[in-house]
Amino acid sequence: MIRGIKGVKDILPDETARWQFVEQHARQTAGLYGYREIRIPIFEMTDLFARSIGATTDIVEKEMYTFQDRDGASLTLRPEGTAGAVRAYIEHNLAADPLPQKLYYLGPMFRHERPQAGRLRQFHQFGVEFFGTADPRADVEVIALLWRFLSGLGLPDLALEMNSLGLAEDRPAFKAVLLRFLKERESRLCSNCRRRMETNPLRVLDCKVPECRAATEDAPRLTDHLSPEARRHFDKVLGGLSLIGVPYRLNPRLVRGLDYYTLTAFEVTSSQLGAQNAVGAGGRYDGLVEALGGPKTPAIGFAVGLERVTLMLPQGNTPSVQRSVYVAAFGERGSSAGLTLVEELRALGVSANTDYRATSLKAHLRQADRLRSIYAVIVGDEEVSKDFLVVRDMDTKQQENLPLKGAAQSIALRYRSDGERAFSR
Ligand code: HAM
C-alpha cells in the first residue's frame, strides 16, 4: 500500500471534535477582538517567502516545499501565513479601507523539518495580523488575544516571553557588538552557529545546542542597545500588559526564526511540550509591507501551532458532542418505517443514526451502545402492523411504546427536554 508522507498526519474522526473545538474557540476569540477571517492561498510565488521571511533563515534555506509550475514559475507551499496576508493586503489595496485591517486565518502550513512530537511537515496555524497601527496598544491587544485564546482553552504551564528586537536602524550597531563577542568564542560554537555568524548572527542566540548556550550565556542583550524610541515602545507594551493583567517574563535571547521582525517579539511556551515548547509566537513587522511593494504600514501579528494546542488540551476540556438517536429497524415494513423515521428525526434537527448491516436486535443494541446513543428506537414488522414503536432509553434501559404516527415529533420533544443528557464528551 502507499503510505502517507512522513511528518504529514491524518486527523482521524476520534480527534476532529478536539480540532473543531479549538478552531471554534479561535474564531470566537478573534471575533471578540474585532478580527475578520482572511483565506489566503496554500501556495504562492517562491520569491514572496524568500523576500519576507529572509533568504538566510532556516525556513527559506532548508525547509520550503518548492516546485516548478508547468509554465516554469517557482512556487512554494506556504511555510507560514504572514507573507501571504501581507501580499493580499497590498494586492487588494486593503490600506485604502478606513478601518484598521485586523485579519485572522486558520489552515495548514508546510515546512520540511525533522518530524517529532509537536513538529510536523504539514502543521496547522491560527494566526492574526493587525495592519496599520504603530501604537504599542496594538501590540498589547495582539498579545492579549493570544493569551486569552490559549488560557481560555485551559492549557497548562503557559509562559509569555517578551523581547524587543529594536528598530531596523538599531540592528547594525548591535550586530557589530554581538559579532565581536561571538568572534572571541567562535571555537566553542557549533558549525551551524559559526556559519550563522556570517549570515545571521542574531540567530546564534536562539541555538539550542547546550555548548552554544553556555558560550553565549553573557552575550550582549538587544534590550541594552535599543534606541530611545524602541525603548519607549517596549516599555509601553510591557506597561500595557501589566495594566490588563497578562503575566510575562523577559527573554533577551528571544530572536525569532523569521527576519521580518522589528521591535516587539514574543513567544508563549509550555513546559509540558518538551523540546518543541513554543505554542505560539509573533511580533511586530513594521517594514514588511513596504519591503514587498506596499505603502509604509506598521503591523503586528502572531501564529499558534494547533497540533501543539490539541496535544496539550486537557481531557476535561474536550468538546461535548450531540448523542444520536439510534433507529433499530427490522424486516420488510420495519425497514421502511426505520428509513423514514431516521430521516424525519434529522429534519427535526435530532442527530439520528442506524446500521443497515444489523439484522438482529442484539446487533442493533450493540451498535447503539458503541455510538453512545441516547435512545434506541426499535421498529420491526410486528410493531408496524400494530402501529407503534419502542423507545429504549440507553442510560436507564427503560422502554416505552409510542404510536408510530407522529413518533418523530414525540422523540424530538423528548430529546430536547433531555437537555444536557443529549450531549456526551
Ligand atoms: P513561527 O514561530 O514560525 O511564526 O510559528 C508559529 C507557531 O507555529 C510556533 O510557535 C509553533 O507552535 C507552530 N509551528 C511552527 N513550525 C511547526 C512545525 N513544523 N510543526 C508544528 N508546529 C509548528 C510564524 O509562523 C509567524 N508567521 C508568526 C507571525 C504572525 N508573526 C507575525 N504574524
Side-chain angles (χ1 to χ4, degrees), residues 59 79-83 105 111 113 118-125 127-129 256-258 260-261 267-268 278-285 300-308:
I59 297 179
E80 56 109 48
T82 310
Y105 49 86
R111 296 184 194 175
E113 293 195 83
R119 189 163 72 192
L120 291 146
R121 291 183 174 170
Q122 174 174 327
F123 60 98
H124 298 76
Q125 284 186 344
V128 316
E129 312 294 351
R256 311 280 298 120
L258 306 96
Y260 47 61
Y261 292 111
E267 202 159 271
V268 175
V279 193
R284 204 165 249 296
Y285 49 96
I300 178 163
F302 71 73
V304 171
L306 297 183
E307 277 72 13
R308 297 180 192 180

Side-chain angles (χ1 to χ4, degrees), residues 43-50 60 64-77:
F43 58 115
E44 300 265 4
M45 303 297 281
T46 302
D47 270 357
L48 173 69
F49 300 115
V60 173
M64 295 206 302
Y65 283 94
T66 297
F67 58 96
Q68 211 176 51
D69 202 354
R70 289 177 188 278
D71 62 6
S74 178
L75 306 181
T76 292
L77 298 186

Side-chain angles (χ1 to χ4, degrees), residues 133-172:
T133 310
D135 193 298
R137 285 173 297 179
D139 307 40
V140 175
E141 175 183 296
V142 163
I143 297 167
L145 197 174
L146 171 63
W147 190 254
R148 188 176 296 281
F149 168 69
L150 296 173
S151 51
L153 288 169
L155 303 188
D157 300 325
L158 297 174
L160 167 65
E161 300 187 350
M162 297 290 305
N163 196 17
S164 173
L165 303 178
L167 294 166
E169 303 88 89
D170 302 345
R171 215 74 61 76

Side-chain angles (χ1 to χ4, degrees), residues 370-390:
R370 281 194 187 126
L371 289 164
R372 290 198 270 166
S373 308
I374 179 163
Y375 329 120
V377 180
I378 302 160
V379 53
D381 286 345
E382 195 190 327
E383 283 81 6
V384 177
S385 67
K386 294 183 183 154
D387 272 333
F388 78 103
L389 47 69
V390 180

